[in-house]
Short mmCIF file of all heavy atoms in Angstrom, two decimals:
data_model
loop_
_atom_site.label_atom_id
_atom_site.label_comp_id
_atom_site.label_asym_id
_atom_site.label_seq_id
_atom_site.Cartn_x
_atom_site.Cartn_y
_atom_site.Cartn_z
N GLN A 182 -24.94 -13.93 32.25
CA GLN A 182 -26.09 -14.00 31.38
C GLN A 182 -26.82 -15.33 31.51
O GLN A 182 -26.18 -16.41 31.43
CB GLN A 182 -25.65 -13.74 29.95
CG GLN A 182 -25.12 -12.30 29.70
CD GLN A 182 -24.52 -12.12 28.37
OE1 GLN A 182 -24.40 -13.10 27.58
NE2 GLN A 182 -24.25 -10.92 28.00
N THR A 183 -28.05 -15.28 31.77
CA THR A 183 -28.95 -16.50 31.94
C THR A 183 -30.15 -16.36 31.07
O THR A 183 -30.80 -15.29 31.03
CB THR A 183 -29.33 -16.64 33.41
OG1 THR A 183 -29.95 -15.44 33.83
CG2 THR A 183 -28.17 -16.94 34.30
N GLU A 184 -30.44 -17.39 30.33
CA GLU A 184 -31.62 -17.38 29.48
C GLU A 184 -32.75 -18.17 30.23
O GLU A 184 -32.52 -19.15 30.89
CB GLU A 184 -31.35 -18.12 28.16
CG GLU A 184 -30.18 -17.51 27.36
CD GLU A 184 -30.54 -16.09 26.84
OE1 GLU A 184 -31.74 -15.83 26.73
OE2 GLU A 184 -29.62 -15.33 26.52
N GLY A 185 -33.93 -17.61 30.08
CA GLY A 185 -35.15 -18.27 30.70
C GLY A 185 -35.31 -18.04 32.18
O GLY A 185 -36.26 -18.64 32.77
N GLU A 186 -34.47 -17.28 32.80
CA GLU A 186 -34.66 -16.96 34.22
C GLU A 186 -35.71 -15.88 34.39
O GLU A 186 -36.00 -15.08 33.49
CB GLU A 186 -33.31 -16.44 34.86
CG GLU A 186 -32.22 -17.49 34.83
CD GLU A 186 -32.46 -18.56 35.90
OE1 GLU A 186 -33.10 -18.24 36.90
OE2 GLU A 186 -31.96 -19.67 35.71
N ALA A 187 -36.36 -15.79 35.61
CA ALA A 187 -37.29 -14.73 35.82
C ALA A 187 -36.62 -13.40 35.80
O ALA A 187 -35.42 -13.22 36.26
CB ALA A 187 -37.84 -14.95 37.29
N PRO A 188 -37.23 -12.40 35.21
CA PRO A 188 -36.62 -11.07 35.07
C PRO A 188 -36.40 -10.39 36.40
O PRO A 188 -37.12 -10.73 37.37
CB PRO A 188 -37.63 -10.30 34.15
CG PRO A 188 -38.91 -11.01 34.38
CD PRO A 188 -38.63 -12.44 34.61
N LEU A 189 -35.54 -9.45 36.43
CA LEU A 189 -35.25 -8.69 37.65
C LEU A 189 -36.52 -7.88 38.06
O LEU A 189 -37.23 -7.37 37.16
CB LEU A 189 -34.12 -7.70 37.43
CG LEU A 189 -32.72 -8.33 37.35
CD1 LEU A 189 -31.78 -7.30 36.68
CD2 LEU A 189 -32.20 -8.72 38.65
N ASP A 190 -36.76 -7.85 39.36
CA ASP A 190 -37.81 -7.07 39.94
C ASP A 190 -37.37 -5.71 40.45
O ASP A 190 -36.47 -5.68 41.37
CB ASP A 190 -38.57 -7.90 41.02
CG ASP A 190 -39.72 -7.14 41.60
OD1 ASP A 190 -39.52 -6.15 42.40
OD2 ASP A 190 -40.89 -7.64 41.41
N ILE A 191 -37.80 -4.64 39.83
CA ILE A 191 -37.33 -3.32 40.15
C ILE A 191 -37.46 -3.01 41.65
O ILE A 191 -36.51 -2.52 42.35
CB ILE A 191 -38.01 -2.21 39.34
CG1 ILE A 191 -37.64 -2.38 37.84
CG2 ILE A 191 -37.61 -0.85 39.76
CD1 ILE A 191 -38.35 -1.34 36.93
N SER A 192 -38.61 -3.32 42.20
CA SER A 192 -38.82 -3.05 43.69
C SER A 192 -37.87 -3.77 44.57
O SER A 192 -37.32 -3.21 45.52
CB SER A 192 -40.28 -3.37 44.01
OG SER A 192 -41.15 -2.54 43.36
N LYS A 193 -37.62 -5.06 44.20
CA LYS A 193 -36.72 -5.89 45.01
C LYS A 193 -35.31 -5.37 44.86
O LYS A 193 -34.57 -5.25 45.84
CB LYS A 193 -36.83 -7.34 44.51
CG LYS A 193 -36.10 -8.34 45.42
CD LYS A 193 -36.37 -9.76 45.04
CE LYS A 193 -35.64 -10.71 45.95
NZ LYS A 193 -35.82 -12.10 45.54
N VAL A 194 -34.91 -5.07 43.66
CA VAL A 194 -33.52 -4.57 43.47
C VAL A 194 -33.34 -3.19 44.19
O VAL A 194 -32.34 -2.97 44.85
CB VAL A 194 -33.30 -4.33 41.91
CG1 VAL A 194 -32.00 -3.54 41.66
CG2 VAL A 194 -33.18 -5.66 41.18
N ASN A 195 -34.33 -2.32 44.08
CA ASN A 195 -34.24 -1.04 44.76
C ASN A 195 -34.14 -1.18 46.25
O ASN A 195 -33.44 -0.53 46.96
CB ASN A 195 -35.51 -0.21 44.36
CG ASN A 195 -35.34 1.26 44.71
OD1 ASN A 195 -34.42 1.90 44.22
ND2 ASN A 195 -36.14 1.76 45.67
N GLN A 196 -34.97 -2.16 46.87
CA GLN A 196 -34.92 -2.36 48.27
C GLN A 196 -33.56 -2.88 48.70
O GLN A 196 -33.06 -2.47 49.78
CB GLN A 196 -36.07 -3.34 48.71
CG GLN A 196 -36.22 -3.43 50.22
CD GLN A 196 -36.41 -2.13 50.91
OE1 GLN A 196 -37.26 -1.34 50.60
NE2 GLN A 196 -35.49 -1.84 51.92
N GLU A 197 -33.02 -3.84 47.97
CA GLU A 197 -31.75 -4.43 48.30
C GLU A 197 -30.63 -3.36 48.18
O GLU A 197 -29.68 -3.29 49.05
CB GLU A 197 -31.34 -5.57 47.33
CG GLU A 197 -32.17 -6.83 47.59
CD GLU A 197 -31.78 -7.59 48.86
OE1 GLU A 197 -30.84 -7.17 49.54
OE2 GLU A 197 -32.52 -8.54 49.21
N ALA A 198 -30.71 -2.44 47.24
CA ALA A 198 -29.80 -1.38 47.01
C ALA A 198 -29.87 -0.41 48.25
O ALA A 198 -28.83 0.02 48.80
CB ALA A 198 -30.03 -0.54 45.79
N ILE A 199 -31.06 -0.14 48.72
CA ILE A 199 -31.22 0.77 49.93
C ILE A 199 -30.55 0.13 51.12
O ILE A 199 -29.86 0.75 51.91
CB ILE A 199 -32.71 1.04 50.16
CG1 ILE A 199 -33.28 1.95 49.07
CG2 ILE A 199 -32.90 1.67 51.57
CD1 ILE A 199 -34.79 2.07 49.09
#
Side-chain angles (χ1 to χ4, degrees):
Q182 294 174 350
T183 53
E184 301 293 339
E186 295 285 332
L189 288 164
D190 182 285
I191 294 176
S192 295
K193 190 173 179 181
V194 169
N195 195 61
Q196 187 55 55
E197 289 289 354
I199 291 169

